[in-house]
Amino acid sequence: MRRRQFLKMSCVLGAGVALCGLGVDLVPIEAWADEIKKIDRLKTARQTMSVCCYCSVGCGLICATDEKTGKIINIEGDPEHPVSEGSLCAKGAGIFQTTEANEHRLTKVLYRAPNSDKWEEKNWDWAIDRIARLMKEERDKSFITKNAAGQVVNRVETLAHMGSSNLDNEECWSITAWARSLGLVYIDHQARV
Amino acid sequence: MADGKSILVDVSRCTGCRGCQVACKQWNGLPGTKTKQTGTYQNPPDFSHQTFKVVRFEDGRTKDGKTYWHFFSDMCRHCMNPPCLAGAQGDEMIHDDATGAVVYTEGTSKSDFEMSLSVCPYNIPRQDPDTKVMRKCTMCFDRITSGLTPACVLSCPTGAMVFGERDAMLAEAKRRVDILKKTWPKAQALNADDVRVIFIVTDDPLKYHKYAAGV
Amino acid sequence: MTNHWIDIQHSDCILIQGSNAAENHPISFKWVMRAKERGAKLIHVDPRFTRTSSKADFYAPLRSGTDIAFLGGMIKYIIDNNKIFHDYVVNYTNAPFLVDGKFGFKDGLFSGYDADKRGYDKSTWTYQKDAGGIILRDETLKNPRCVYQLLKAHYARYDLKKVSSITGTPEKDLKTVYEMFSSTGTKDRAGTVMYALGQTHHTVGVQNIRALAIVQLLLGNIGVCGGGVNALRGEPNVQGSTDHALLYHYLPGYLSAPRASQQTLESYIKKITPATTEAKSVNWQSNYGKYAVSLLKSWYGDAATKDNEFGYAWVPKAEDGKDYSVMTLFDVMYAGKIRGMTVFGQNPACSIPNSNKVRAAFAKLDWMVHLNIFDNETASFWKGPGMDPAKVKTEVFLLPASASVEKAGSQTNSGRWIQWRYEATKAPGDCIYAGEAIIRIQNKLKELYQKEGGTFPDPILNMTSDGLAEKGGYDAEKVAKLINGYFLADVEIGGKQYKKGDCVPSFALLQADGSTSSGNWICAGSFAQDGKNLMQRRGKADPTGLGLYPEWSFAWPVNRRVLYNRASCDPSGKPYNPKRAVLEWKDGKWVGDVPDGAPPPLAAEGGKLPFIMKPDGVSSLFGPGLGDGPFPEHYEPLESPLAKNLMSTQQNNPAILLYNSDKDMVASADARFPIVMTTYSSTEHWCTGAFTRWQTWLTEAMPQAYVEMSEELAKEKGIKNGDKVRVESARGKLECVAMVTPRFRPFLVNGKTLHQVGMPYNYGWRFPEGNGDSANLLTPTVGDANAMTPEYKAFMVNVVKV
């Protein structure tokens, strides 16, 4: 066995050069080369702050977006965050698997027709048109202007909304505003759960 | 000599949150393997060429009937004198002068894996069945040589894992064991002189894992 | 939380009850361990020995559903052993108030119960007043009708023997917990309570928390550094989503939702603004009219005028006294009365009780719009187990959403810190923000109503566009500013000038005359007057040294980090504990955290009481505002192992709502289901697993559903660790892996051995294959009398080897 001074990563860019210089026929296999690449890509990546999407501690995240591909290549804790100080539990540490890197991410609008056994791909315009149409039809049909006691109530009881505590404040507020503007009373979400 | 780096793993503070287990996967781009629920929180059951960090769970009752649950965030000890280097055929296993990290390169496809595994007191080295490359914890060598902490240490919420200069870690280990002994007389740092990754336990090492204190 | 995460480190004794913080809020344990390093003791009370218990200095087991018995015993202990923080109790609680002579309690029921209505006439739950309407008091706390004596009498019944018999907690363990925690009743020691869904998920959920609050008030632990009643909220932004009222029963900022009987804005404002005769009470809720009008202005902009009551008629009015919460929603849907549903970022097919009922209910919808980042059991309900797609007519839209790291916007943690996040990258494919999706739907509806007319288009057409981007899409920062609020005209208030369009820097400046708009008054101040987004701040200054970090993000309200903090000082404004002073009255002003109420301390000139959100300015030991009683009382869960409640003949909470669809079977004290069951989560999975079951690093760690049971129960049933078993309730069944563990022990309840088991609800049939299905197939459709939080945590099952 031989001890050897391992050269600084930045010098090893270009894979294998310095190591080969020591007489070892080193073929940089994908994973190893990726490992070198990752730390170097990290050094030139755009760092963005985010907040963990799981429990309510609200741990700080640093997302590294590769300057060449525009994709997120690393997500880890933010050591500057006063509550989390860089820490993350299993879920937070794994947030990378909620990104595009996860092949299961929904990326297309899907539609299931009545009685169908499968999803079909649609586009947003089609979906929004249809959804708004369905909402309007039901609201127009079932709107209750006055209750049995003759009081003005201006509500709809055949439409319901749920969710979400997984959305940002501004989205939650927008949904509340929308739901009320339609006259919904069946409104709920995870806060009760 | 008290040079290079060390990691302290103080199980008395560990809550088994598995941030470290997942952070290792995330940093190293390792896949999540297919596992089964066999009646334990521990999964995967052991190290593999795709799992460098395993949090081990052991629950039980003491002689006085008190329940306990031990968490042992197992990893390569990065020995001061790594026996696994005996399996090296050339320079493919790196024992870094500056940090003391023991790093297997792709060249370990030519190493004597069986030899390295058999001499490792902690049962650490694993081999990719396809490429024959040997795999284990790298002490996040790429991170620590770039001024970052190892991914597992960064994720740890309770200070169960700490990274730093070896003499500082040895001093911290002693400080913690002295305090812990007041509540747990069996508290000890395991093989602190022989390893860079120093585990502090509060109970009989075998209660955590067969190889917790080495064979 | 009344306090915040970092504050936990300052506690001398941490009681975690109804929470498994180490597993479900793991990073909170950073601060728990720091407290321990300083000598704090950690107590964990839980049916099961968990990762939290492993770090506790003392662990006490208790049967699921018996927290009030446990805490009632603690209240008795504190009073009997004179552990109360006397000055605090006399000055800052309603302990001295004299209660109406007609108020009473007998055999499990308070005065005024109507069995037909399943509710209370609360007119006797009131105070004795003098001719001027001022509440009568006895500062010596000796008058038998004073709250303190009534409290004492009520909990005199919760002696150690009785409590142990109900909870299954050994008497010596009860005593140890009571001793340890009540040691924080002194000036120099602070105790904190960390609780979560282990308290709320019961038919007595709100009263569970009331019991915790009573304990903390008796010990003087509210408003102090290292103290508090700290709810560890369960979702990343459930604090924010609650603040912004994705709930039927109130509007943004906790303004009660208007009901049919409030036909005018004036009658509505009258209802939501309490009056008080207490001269020293700030009674901040008296300002609610300003916030209601400002909210209406944020929704309807210029269309909201004084002449049309600011659009009040456009706000839907729910029926008085009727429930529209989630279990009722699904009950009504199951009865075929809901035609269309939008479900954003939630998985009710696995998260709402009685999954068989919920999943069948979905099939009755004409259409469902689901939005998420992955597919799940809700969006795909039509192809779930037992479903024949050919027979399900529901149109389903599955909209692809941006994930959290692909979005800019704010998120509020449990400590009320509103933190801003940024887009690390654009979302893949056709994904858009959930906010963008709802705006597109809203814009389309507006267009349709403009073109075609229709029923009552006014609220839709008049919805403001102020929050929209220039091209009409979703703009997070613009919405955030709308939420914060604006001045709608130049104005001078208190000698300061504000221009039209300036952000409102504090809700104290909001008006009831339509000159201000604010989407949520509690968020006012999240932007500075000049438009700077304070939620984006990353300042690390810590002037008090207590870890308040006033320049990191923005905490509502008005960046106050510890609520009720004026109660941490004596009536002269001197901190009870100068070593951990979150606030101090010095040279005529408050120094430290943002004071909870600007007025001087009680004893100073112009001084006010510290609980500014309570009409009478003091905190409530006697709490007449709730629907099931002014004092918490132990009732058995709907499904109980006991045929008879040991505390009274009132078996269950007398004010809970009961459902009776053909899927709402209940089996209490039933030999078929003799085992108590609870449900929970795990560190590695998130709620129903709708996000996390698609992630291999997490499914690797926790691959399949399991039920945790004691070695003793397993032996009785012939079950070995790792065996396949079936868990059954009156409502459903599922198969999973048996986890036989010493961390569960049988209880001795009412002299008999009682077993309890537990399951996480992290699994669902959709993915990955073979992982299991939801524990909610087993849970009952019943919830808390006040909040309708479902009783997920205590019901009855049987377990058999498969």
Side-chain angles (χ1 to χ4, degrees):
Chain A
M1 25 187 209
R2 276 170 58 180
R3 296 187 173 206
R4 177 196 313 129
Q5 176 76 28
F6 198 93
L7 297 160
K8 272 183 88 79
M9 283 302 168
S10 53
C11 304
V12 185
L13 248 183
V17 169
L19 295 167
C20 282
L22 287 154
V24 175
D25 185 15
L26 195 70
V27 177
I29 309 243
E30 192 67 24
W32 177 247
D34 277 345
E35 206 174 309
I36 299 174
K37 279 195 213 143
K38 181 166 185 178
I39 190 74
D40 281 299
R41 288 163 78 194
L42 203 68
K43 285 172 188 166
T44 55
R46 179 167 66 92
Q47 314 268 38
T48 310
M49 299 309 170
S50 190
V51 183
C52 182
C53 61
Y54 293 114
C55 83
S56 65
V57 174
C59 297
L61 303 175
I62 304 179
C63 304
T65 306
D66 187 68
E67 57 167 3
K68 288 210 175 66
T69 64
K71 308 264 190 240
I72 296 175
I73 55 169
N74 192 62
I75 302 178
E76 60 184 58
D78 176 5
E80 283 299 302
H81 196 282
V83 179
S84 61
E85 301 178 332
S87 312
L88 289 172
C89 73
K91 297 182 301 297
I95 288 184
F96 182 76
Q97 287 194 325
T98 66
T99 68
E100 190 180 354
N102 190 324
E103 57 172 333
H104 301 293
R105 273 289 297 276
L106 298 169
T107 57
K108 293 260 176 259
V109 174
L110 297 175
Y111 174 73
R112 183 258 177 185
N115 310 103
S116 168
D117 64 353
K118 61 184 197 311
W119 294 111
E120 309 161 40
E121 280 182 14
K122 295 284 190 191
N123 65 50
W124 274 105
D125 285 344
W126 181 90
I128 298 294
D129 276 357
R130 179 97 188 115
I131 291 167
R133 174 61 61 197
L134 288 168
M135 285 180 185
K136 182 175 189 295
E137 267 171 17
E138 186 52 43
R139 181 177 180 274
D140 287 349
K141 191 165 66 180
S142 312
F143 195 81
I144 303 172
T145 309
K146 288 193 179 157
N147 65 6
Q151 296 161 316
V152 174
V153 293
N154 289 335
R155 65 176 186 243
V156 178
E157 292 187 5
T158 57
L159 295 176
H161 173 81
M162 283 193 75
S164 170
S165 53
N166 290 308
L167 298 176
D168 293 344
N169 286 317
E170 297 72 28
E171 297 178 304
C172 291
W173 188 89
S174 300
I175 294 171
T176 295
W178 159 82
R180 257 81 186 200
S181 76
L182 254 60
L184 262 61
V185 282
Y186 284 111
I187 302 170
D188 215 331
H189 77 295
Q190 291 91 332
R192 212 177 291 280
V193 167
Chain B
M1 72 176 160
D3 58 348
K5 304 291 188 190
S6 255
I7 297 178
L8 200 58
V9 186
D10 178 359
V11 305
S12 75
R13 295 189 188 205
C14 180
T15 56
C17 78
R18 296 207 261 191
C20 54
Q21 185 174 304
V22 174
C24 177
K25 294 265 171 170
Q26 201 275 152
W27 177 254
N28 291 299
L30 296 164
T33 62
K34 196 102 179 55
T35 54
K36 274 184 146 31
Q37 175 52 258
T38 58
T40 171
Y41 277 44
Q42 182 173 326
N43 250 318
D46 203 359
F47 297 114
S48 75
H49 64 288
Q50 293 168 322
T51 300
F52 303 164
K53 192 116 170 82
V54 174
V55 179
R56 303 189 186 276
F57 290 74
E58 289 294 334
D59 55 14
R61 290 196 191 151
T62 65
K63 282 198 207 75
D64 334 313
K66 274 188 84 180
T67 314
Y68 66 82
W69 206 2
H70 289 326
F71 316 117
F72 193 84
S73 173
D74 207 355
M75 60 191 291
C76 171
R77 301 302 193 273
H78 293 274
C79 298
M80 297 301 287
N81 289 296
C84 60
L85 298 182
Q89 302 303 297
D91 294 330
E92 75 275 18
M93 291 186 190
I94 294 160
H95 190 196
D96 180 55
D97 275 344
T99 61
V102 181
V103 183
Y104 295 162
T105 70
E106 299 301 306
T108 54
S109 57
K110 308 280 193 295
S111 305
D112 184 346
F113 165 66
E114 295 299 336
M115 159 78 94
S116 290
L117 178 60
S118 66
V119 297
C120 173
Y122 304 97
N123 194 256
I124 302 295
R126 296 292 185 270
Q127 184 183 51
D128 183 324
D130 300 325
T131 64
K132 303 300 178 204
V133 171
M134 285 171 60
R135 306 281 264 156
K136 69 169 188 67
C137 164
T138 63
M139 204 194 273
C140 273
F141 188 76
D142 47 0
R143 291 177 65 95
I144 65 181
T145 51
S146 300
L148 301 172
T149 32
C152 57
V153 176
L154 177 68
S155 75
C156 180
T158 57
M161 299 194 67
V162 194
F163 170 79
E165 299 299 315
R166 179 164 171 74
D167 43 9
M169 294 298 98
L170 285 168
E172 177 63 9
K174 180 173 190 311
R175 187 189 75 86
R176 290 196 185 189
V177 170
D178 286 344
I179 295 171
L180 289 170
K181 271 202 165 101
K182 295 183 191 145
T183 318
W184 294 283
K186 288 192 191 165
Q188 57 167 315
L190 298 175
N191 307 319
D193 293 336
D194 302 332
V195 297
R196 290 191 177 275
V197 178
I198 304 161
F199 281 78
I200 295 176
V201 297
T202 55
D203 199 353
D204 172 6
L206 290 176
K207 287 246 169 62
Y208 298 87
H209 180 50
K210 200 157 97 176
Y211 302 112
V215 287
Chain C
M1 294 169 94
T2 55
N3 295 48
H4 58 97
W5 297 109
I6 297 171
D7 184 73
I8 293 167
Q9 67 176 330
H10 297 301
S11 188
D12 295 298
C13 191
I14 302 170
L15 172 63
I16 301 183
Q17 180 166 347
S19 149
N20 183 5
E23 296 197 36
N24 299 319
H25 295 88
I27 310 309
S28 72
F29 247 70
K30 178 190 294 281
W31 303 104
V32 173
M33 296 308 284
R34 299 245 171 117
K36 284 182 59 137
E37 272 171 63
R38 297 169 188 212
K41 295 288 177 225
L42 172 64
I43 303 168
H44 189 220
V45 180
D46 197 299
R48 178 181 57 126
F49 187 99
T50 67
R51 287 179 259 195
T52 301
S53 325
S54 74
K55 294 286 152 311
D57 294 287
F58 192 78
Y59 162 73
L62 106 161
R63 166 171 68 104
S64 280
T66 64
D67 291 87
I68 290 173
F70 191 104
L71 294 168
M74 192 184 300
I75 294 170
K76 176 173 165 42
Y77 180 92
I78 290 169
I79 293 175
D80 288 351
N81 293 280
N82 207 18
K83 298 286 189 180
I84 69 167
F85 186 155
H86 189 265
D87 275 3
Y88 188 106
V89 169
V90 169
N91 289 308
Y92 298 154
T93 76
N94 63 7
F97 286 15
L98 298 189
V99 174
D100 190 300
K102 292 197 227 61
F103 166 77
F105 174 83
K106 190 161 176 254
D107 192 23
L109 290 174
F110 296 94
S111 46
Y113 186 63
D114 182 335
D116 293 326
K117 292 193 180 143
R118 295 186 55 76
Y120 282 100
D121 168 352
K122 300 197 286 180
S123 51
T124 59
W125 302 4
T126 185
Y127 307 111
Q128 297 176 34
K129 300 192 172 112
D130 69 17
I134 312 274
I135 296 173
L136 296 177
R137 342 160 31 107
D138 171 24
E139 309 268 317
T140 71
L141 305 185
K142 294 211 164 56
N143 187 314
R145 293 308 291 176
C146 79
V147 164
Y148 186 74
Q149 290 300 329
L150 290 173
L151 183 79
K152 181 174 180 180
H154 191 84
Y155 292 104
R157 304 144 56 230
Y158 288 76
D159 55 87
L160 282 178
K161 194 154 181 275
K162 180 64 82 55
V163 171
S164 177
S165 190
I166 294 172
T167 61
T169 314
E171 283 185 46
K172 63 171 169 52
D173 288 358
L174 290 171
K175 208 151 175 264
T176 303
V177 173
Y178 297 167
E179 257 168 28
M180 284 174 81
F181 198 65
S182 64
S183 73
T184 64
T186 60
K187 283 187 192 176
D188 59 343
R189 283 173 67 74
T192 189
V193 166
M194 294 167 67
Y195 81 90
L197 307 178
Q199 295 293 357
T200 63
H201 282 170
H202 294 279
T203 44
V204 292
V206 174
Q207 295 290 355
N208 280 339
I209 296 151
R210 274 274 298 141
L212 291 170
I214 290 171
V215 165
Q216 288 295 67
L217 289 171
L218 291 175
L219 298 173
N221 281 329
I222 303 284
V224 308
C225 177
V229 172
N230 293 305
L232 313 188
R233 303 221 51 182
E235 298 266 336
N237 196 31
V238 71
Q239 184 61 58
S241 59
T242 313
D243 297 340
H244 297 302
L246 279 171
L247 294 153
Y248 81 90
H249 65 291
Y250 57 83
L251 304 180
Y254 303 99
L255 308 171
S256 285
R259 301 277 183 157
S261 62
Q262 292 123 39
Q263 288 287 291
T264 63
L265 179 63
E266 193 187 329
S267 64
Y268 168 65
I269 291 177
K270 189 153 185 270
K271 189 100 204 303
I272 63 172
T273 51
T276 184
T277 52
E278 172 55 69
K280 293 201 178 247
S281 171
V282 171
N283 188 21
W284 196 265
Q285 286 189 45
S286 58
N287 291 298
Y288 274 6
K290 301 172 188 168
Y291 310 148
V293 172
S294 298
L295 168 64
L296 292 171
K297 287 298 283 181
S298 79
W299 279 351
Y300 304 120
D302 291 338
T305 67
K306 205 148 191 276
D307 293 333
N308 63 17
E309 296 187 298
F310 301 106
Y312 178 72
W314 303 333
V315 182
K317 312 293 182 299
E319 278 309 294
D320 291 66
K322 189 169 182 316
D323 178 78
Y324 297 84
S325 68
V326 64
M327 287 183 287
T328 299
L329 192 165
F330 278 102
D331 190 59
V332 168
M333 193 186 299
Y334 182 65
K337 299 201 187 128
I338 307 267
R339 301 264 56 82
M341 181 181 201
T342 43
V343 186
F344 280 22
Q346 189 165 4
N347 189 16
C350 288
S351 63
I352 303 304
N354 202 345
S355 311
N356 285 325
K357 183 179 177 187
V358 172
R359 295 169 183 185
F362 282 139
K364 314 229 175 161
L365 291 170
D366 290 345
W367 51 266
M368 173 201 288
V369 178
H370 189 83
L371 176 138
N372 219 314
I373 67 171
F374 297 112
D375 188 10
N376 56 49
E377 291 74 15
T378 296
S380 284
F381 80 88
W382 42 275
K383 51 177 171 158
M387 284 279 171
D388 179 3
K391 296 205 174 88
V392 179
K393 65 170 169 36
T394 317
E395 280 183 69
V396 184
F397 303 80
L398 182 50
L399 307 178
S402 306
S404 64
V405 292
E406 297 155 358
K407 298 201 295 192
S410 71
Q411 183 175 281
T412 309
N413 78 4
S414 203
R416 296 164 284 101
W417 293 17
I418 313 177
Q419 304 187 98
W420 196 266
R421 54 149 68 99
Y422 301 89
E423 277 187 17
T425 187
K426 283 262 165 289
D430 292 348
C431 297
I432 61 176
Y433 282 50
E436 174 66 26
I438 205 69
I439 292 301
R440 288 190 194 183
I441 293 172
Q442 187 170 295
N443 287 345
K444 192 51 144 188
L445 281 165
K446 220 174 190 172
E447 194 190 297
L448 290 178
Y449 275 98
Q450 261 158 0
K451 274 208 209 117
E452 304 171 9
T455 310
F456 199 56
D458 304 46
I460 295 166
L461 296 178
N462 290 317
M463 210 57 174
T464 186
S465 326
D466 283 352
L468 301 184
E470 252 187 71
K471 293 204 179 134
Y474 174 75
D475 184 323
E477 182 128 342
K478 270 187 147 179
V479 176
K481 278 194 167 140
L482 193 55
I483 292 171
N484 178 88
Y486 297 105
F487 291 98
L488 302 174
D490 291 358
V491 72
E492 180 187 310
I493 303 173
K496 251 201 122 195
Q497 299 294 335
Y498 303 97
K499 289 190 117 41
K500 176 178 175 174
D502 279 355
C503 288
V504 173
S506 159
F507 50 71
L509 301 167
L510 293 174
Q511 305 297 323
D513 61 4
S515 65
T516 56
S517 103
S518 171
N520 193 331
W521 68 278
I522 65 176
C523 297
S526 53
F527 283 82
Q529 187 181 345
D530 65 1
K532 178 161 182 249
N533 184 340
L534 303 183
M535 300 176 273
Q536 294 176 340
R537 296 185 302 178
R538 288 174 62 85
K540 298 292 285 287
D542 184 26
T544 62
L546 298 175
L548 299 181
Y549 294 103
E551 293 172 34
W552 184 281
S553 79
F554 172 83
W556 74 258
V558 292
N559 210 30
R560 181 177 300 134
R561 305 277 158 152
V562 175
L563 298 181
Y564 315 115
N565 54 26
R566 284 200 298 122
S568 69
C569 296
D570 69 20
S572 74
K574 193 161 152 285
Y576 281 122
N577 185 354
K579 290 209 186 106
R580 283 188 301 229
V582 70
L583 199 65
E584 189 175 351
W585 179 252
K586 233 184 182 166
D587 305 322
K589 60 184 204 299
W590 291 107
V591 176
D593 190 13
V594 175
D596 200 338
L602 187 59
E605 192 183 322
K608 299 286 184 186
L609 292 157
F611 287 86
I612 68 170
M613 295 304 285
K614 305 286 294 186
D616 300 316
V618 292
S619 56
S620 304
L621 295 173
F622 182 84
L626 295 175
D628 48 358
F631 289 133
E633 169 69 7
H634 172 73
Y635 302 111
E636 285 291 318
L638 184 67
E639 286 193 341
S640 162
L642 302 178
K644 284 201 169 78
N645 181 358
L646 298 178
M647 218 54 219
S648 73
T649 63
Q650 184 59 35
Q651 178 73 3
N652 304 122
N653 184 326
I656 54 176
L657 189 58
L658 298 170
Y659 297 95
N660 44 36
S661 81
D662 61 3
K663 291 226 188 303
D664 287 311
M665 298 74 81
V666 171
S668 189
D670 187 323
R672 295 173 298 155
F673 306 108
I675 302 169
V676 177
M677 174 142 172
T678 189
T679 58
Y680 37 79
S681 189
S682 65
T683 307
E684 295 75 12
H685 277 295
W686 180 243
C687 297
T688 66
F691 276 13
T692 52
R693 278 182 280 118
W694 298 94
Q695 299 176 44
T696 57
W697 296 330
L698 299 174
T699 53
E700 176 183 56
M702 283 290 207
Q704 293 170 299
Y706 52 92
V707 58
E708 295 182 79
M709 67 180 74
S710 68
E711 293 166 333
E712 293 83 351
L713 175 63
K715 192 158 180 235
E716 260 182 46
K717 298 267 181 181
I719 295 171
K720 284 190 328 295
N721 192 36
D723 278 353
K724 194 165 184 206
V725 294
R726 187 170 63 245
V727 187
E728 314 170 317
S729 77
R731 293 156 293 281
K733 55 185 193 283
L734 75 151
E735 289 181 359
C736 59
V737 176
M739 191 181 290
V740 179
T741 169
R743 293 176 293 99
F744 252 126
R745 283 180 207 246
F747 293 103
L748 189 64
V749 170
N750 196 24
K752 293 207 191 77
T753 300
L754 177 66
H755 291 291
Q756 176 160 345
V757 297
M759 269 191 83
Y761 76 114
N762 303 142
Y763 301 95
W765 59 264
R766 177 65 186 84
F767 190 85
E769 193 171 325
N771 80 88
D773 205 345
S774 178
N776 279 312
L777 286 162
L778 308 169
T779 51
T781 317
V782 72
D784 176 79
N786 300 282
M788 290 300 283
T789 46
E791 191 154 64
Y792 294 106
K793 298 260 187 233
F795 55 97
M796 302 302 292
V797 299
N798 194 17
V799 182
V800 294
K801 188 167 151 151
V802 166

